[in-house]
Amino acid sequence: MPALAQTGLEAPAASASATPSVTLDTLFSDLKHERDDQKARRISERIWAQWRDSGSATVNLLMQWADKAVSDRKNGLALDLLDQAIVLMPDYVEGWNRRATLHFMMGNHGKSMVDINRVLTLEPRHFGAIAGMAAILSESGNDELELRAWEQMLEIYPANRQAQQKVGELADKLAGRKT
């Protein structure tokens, strides 16, 4: 989602006996226990690399084309490409997440939230989607729900500086309202 930078670092190859979900589970466990923000960021980059790889050359190509269309400001084309990726692989979390991000960029917050809900149904630990939800809640002025979203992110990714900062700011803001 818009609040988190995604990098192109690739995850190391998993052993033949490891499944992607086991690898993700291990990475999420490491992320939850890592307090150093730089080390945590490297773990999060490995998670993003796992999410980006759909396992399908066709879907990966559609996603690359969608990224290019977004960078060329051809949002309609990007949306069509993301729709096709989702049709081909309806359980591909990152297809839904990228479409949520595009809807957010286009100002379609309701559609973005629908896609975010689908992302979180498929992968409840998707901290990028949670950050996107927090951004939408921030724009709508819903401080209480935004705070809950950032707190949820910190449960998954405790070393995330942005989430830490937002929780502090929102907690102070809400405490000021109650006094």
Side-chain angles (χ1 to χ4, degrees):
M1 285 304 303
L4 294 176
Q6 298 177 23
T7 64
L9 297 179
E10 294 300 319
S15 67
S17 63
T19 63
S21 63
V22 170
T23 302
L24 271 178
D25 288 344
T26 300
L27 289 170
F28 274 110
S29 177
D30 292 347
L31 185 64
K32 186 171 186 141
H33 295 99
E34 183 57 61
R35 296 299 180 239
D36 179 87
D37 66 321
Q38 293 299 320
K39 290 178 183 175
R41 185 173 299 127
R42 284 192 291 275
I43 295 167
S44 76
E45 290 165 353
R46 292 175 64 196
I47 292 169
W48 279 112
Q50 291 266 340
W51 284 335
R52 279 192 297 272
D53 184 7
S54 70
S56 162
T58 302
V59 172
N60 288 348
L61 188 58
L62 287 169
M63 297 298 285
Q64 289 173 8
W65 289 345
D67 288 346
K68 174 78 169 107
V70 168
S71 69
D72 292 343
R73 294 188 171 94
K74 296 178 181 177
N75 292 342
L77 174 60
L79 196 56
D80 289 344
L81 292 165
L82 292 169
D83 287 347
Q84 287 302 312
I86 289 169
V87 166
L88 289 172
M89 289 190 76
D91 291 337
Y92 176 47
V93 173
E94 198 54 24
W96 292 98
N97 186 57
R98 297 263 188 92
R99 193 171 76 175
T101 302
L102 180 57
H103 280 307
F104 178 86
M105 291 168 42
M106 295 170 67
N108 301 328
H109 294 172
K111 289 180 179 181
S112 181
M113 196 64 90
V114 168
D115 284 351
I116 288 169
N117 285 331
R118 181 65 179 149
V119 170
L120 295 175
T121 297
L122 293 168
E123 176 52 82
R125 304 168 296 188
H126 200 295
F127 48 82
I130 295 168
M133 179 188 305
I136 291 169
L137 294 167
S138 175
E139 288 195 13
S140 70
N142 195 328
D143 295 336
E144 292 86 4
L145 288 179
E146 181 188 358
L147 175 61
R148 286 180 34 200
W150 287 118
E151 289 170 339
Q152 180 182 358
M153 183 165 169
L154 285 177
E155 289 176 23
I156 299 162
Y157 188 165
N160 184 278
R161 296 287 187 230
Q162 179 186 20
Q164 292 170 356
Q165 179 181 356
K166 291 290 190 176
V167 165
E169 290 171 1
L170 289 164
D172 288 348
K173 183 177 180 182
L174 292 169
R177 285 188 194 163
K178 294 177 182 174
T179 56

